[in-house]
Amino acid sequence: MNFIRNLIHKADRSSLYVILLSCTGIGVFLYMNKWSYLHLTTADWVMVYTMLGAALILDYFTFQIPPKGNQQSMDSSVYLACIFMFGGAFSLSVLLPVSIILLIKERKLTWWKHIVNFSIYSLMITGAAAVFEWTGGQSGTLDGYNLIPYFAALAAYFIINTITLGLFFHFSTKDALQQMKRAFVTESLLVYLCTLILALVLTILVVHNGVLGLLLYLSLSILLSHAFKQLFVMYQTIEEKANTDQRTGLFNHSYFESMLENELTTARTQGTPLCLGLIDIDDFKKYNDRFGHLQGDSLLALLGIF
């Protein structure tokens, strides 16, 4: 009964956090955006549509980061570039239509998750824009002699993402610190650094080359996304070969040791029981001697299926 109460209490805290996060994100968006759509010129609308299309294209070309396969995309570079070029309010103006289009397009994802994603992005963009201005950054042309505001904006963007999602793990699971370390700190840091570089590249290309610069940027980002995809496929292939016995097709002893260690860690941290069953095949050597090792491998593969 205590276990059930803990689960219910955990679920209540998680739901309350989602509601609080959504209200905060929407409130911050309304305050920072200040209905800027009513004051956009024709040239501004063209740029909004252009950045909107770039964000949607990069969101489509998502990729996975080894070893756990967490999904990433380069769309954050568009929002950061909008901050560097036009300010936080303009970046939020791009975020809203992107979120609406994704809500209509990705119907398999529940509506409240779309709201949570929109709220987190609103907080990340707002925080990055505030830190960018606070550290002396000026929207417009790229200041190559003072890169501190750009790195500070990225740090704020990354930290807000880590904290908001980390708190969700904290309220929904027990191994929150491990989840944060695996999903954000260890595996995503390199991707965020790439995102900053791409945002700076996008800023330079758009300021000096307009639409042509944006097309060049999209080509570069798509190629990078494809390269990350190929890297993950190669990692999966190598991992599969390293953990699989080539003769039987079953997982080998190294894989068993790794999985056993993970299960033991989970059982200790969550306080759950763990059971291990062992099976011995009597007179297997006699079977090998009579029918040959190939038939013996086939027998092991057959028993492994069951």
Side-chain angles (χ1 to χ4, degrees), residues 37 48 52 56 92-102 118:
Y37 295 104
V48 168
L52 181 152
L56 289 176
L92 291 173
S93 299
V94 176
L95 172 66
L96 180 59
V98 170
S99 301
I100 294 175
I101 292 174
L102 291 179
F118 170 77

Side-chain angles (χ1 to χ4, degrees), residues 14 24 50 52 59 63 71 77 121 168 175-176 233-234 277 288 304:
S14 177
T24 303
T50 302
L52 181 152
D59 181 80
F63 53 89
Q71 292 225 346
S77 61
Y121 269 99
F168 176 79
D175 57 341
V233 171
M234 182 176 64
N288 274 337

Side-chain angles (χ1 to χ4, degrees), residues 181-292:
K181 181 179 178 181
R182 288 197 302 263
F184 311 116
V185 179
T186 304
E187 300 172 12
S188 301
L189 184 58
L190 177 61
V191 176
Y192 272 92
L193 290 175
C194 293
T195 299
L196 174 62
I197 295 174
L198 288 173
L200 296 177
V201 170
L202 176 58
T203 302
I204 296 173
L205 290 176
V206 172
V207 168
H208 293 284
N209 300 282
V211 177
L212 177 60
L214 178 62
L215 293 176
L216 292 174
Y217 165 80
L218 287 176
S219 301
L220 175 62
S221 300
I222 292 172
L223 289 175
L224 282 176
S225 299
H226 179 71
F228 275 115
K229 283 185 178 181
Q230 294 300 110
L231 176 64
F232 184 72
V233 171
M234 182 176 64
Y235 175 85
Q236 282 187 315
T237 303
I238 295 174
E239 184 182 38
E240 182 178 350
K241 289 183 178 179
N243 294 327
T244 305
D245 179 71
Q246 300 300 314
R247 293 188 176 183
T248 61
L250 303 175
F251 290 118
N252 56 25
H253 190 70
S254 298
Y255 179 82
F256 166 75
E257 290 180 340
S258 176
M259 291 300 298
L260 179 61
E261 183 178 353
N262 291 338
E263 293 298 328
L264 287 172
T265 302
T266 302
R268 291 192 188 100
T269 55
Q270 298 186 1
T272 56
L274 178 65
C275 180
L276 177 64
L278 298 176
I279 299 177
D280 183 37
I281 305 176
D282 293 333
D283 299 324
F284 184 68
K285 183 178 183 304
K286 294 180 180 180
Y287 185 90
N288 274 337
D289 294 339
R290 181 173 180 180
F291 298 103

